[in-house]
Amino acid sequence: SVAIGNGALDAVTTQGGNVAIGYSAATNLTTTGVTAIGYQAMATSTTGYDTVAIGQSALTSNTTGNENVAVGYNAMYSNTTGNDNVAVGNGALDAATTPHYNTAIGRNAGGAITVGGGNTLVGAYAGQTMNGSNGKWNVAIGFNAMKDTDARFQNTAVGQNALSSNLAHGNAAVGAKCLEDNTHGDGNNGFGYF
């Protein structure tokens, strides 16, 4: 293992295969296969293995979450036990506590998701306020796609602001601002601008 910085890998005794660079990076870790780079990256993680955290406070609240990748300031900041997530961008999945199988790429992508799973969110603010256990199996691609939404499940939004006010499920919107004002309508399909 490699530890550089005050408190980095402090709890490691015999475990190998870890890299921690930065103040308190992976300071409580007792497992293997972790890369934590940045101030307090994975600071509270104990047994989270096969995980990468790069950026200040990336995965800082992680305790036993495994096989996660968090890159960016506060990326997956609140994750405790969620597994198999990818968060790239400042604040991506930062409120997620127990999420599984999410991919969030872009500033604040999926920022409010707490426990939702199986979401793919690509673009700055994509799915930013998606929340609750119902936020599952959604795809949002584009700036603000499904941004101001408490999306339920199985929605697809491709384009700037597509389905950005959605509170329903089973919708597909392809195009800038497509179904932007849809709130409670389920099972809608929209293609094109507005």
Side-chain angles (χ1 to χ4, degrees):
S1 292
V2 175
I4 300 172
N6 187 18
L9 289 178
D10 260 3
V12 168
T13 55
T14 60
Q15 300 80 8
N18 296 304
V19 175
I21 300 172
Y23 178 84
S24 292
T27 192
N28 293 309
L29 192 69
T30 60
T31 190
T32 63
V34 167
T35 300
I37 300 172
Y39 175 84
Q40 293 188 335
M42 290 189 71
T44 60
S45 188
T46 54
T47 59
Y49 59 84
D50 296 339
T51 296
V52 175
I54 300 173
Q56 179 178 332
S57 300
L59 276 167
T60 198
S61 301
N62 192 69
T63 54
T64 59
N66 303 312
E67 299 174 343
N68 292 300
V69 175
V71 179
Y73 173 77
N74 279 354
M76 290 193 72
Y77 176 89
S78 300
N79 185 67
T80 56
T81 59
N83 300 320
D84 302 296
N85 296 287
V86 175
V88 178
N90 290 356
L93 290 175
D94 66 341
T97 55
T98 57
H100 299 289
Y101 308 109
N102 291 293
T103 300
I105 300 173
R107 179 177 185 81
N108 289 342
I113 289 176
T114 54
V115 297
N119 295 295
T120 301
L121 312 165
V122 180
Y125 309 105
Q128 179 184 11
T129 61
M130 187 184 300
N131 196 359
S133 60
N134 289 326
K136 297 178 183 175
W137 313 302
N138 294 292
V139 176
I141 300 173
F143 179 78
N144 283 346
M146 291 195 337
K147 177 186 183 236
D148 294 321
T149 181
D150 187 9
R152 299 299 183 228
F153 53 91
Q154 297 173 328
N155 291 290
T156 302
V158 179
Q160 176 217 354
N161 282 41
L163 280 174
S164 62
S165 300
N166 186 52
L167 301 174
H169 66 273
N171 293 294
V174 179
K177 299 186 176 191
C178 190
L179 295 176
E180 176 181 35
D181 295 322
N182 182 62
T183 55
H184 292 88
D186 295 335
N188 294 294
N189 294 306
F191 301 94
Y193 182 72
F194 280 91

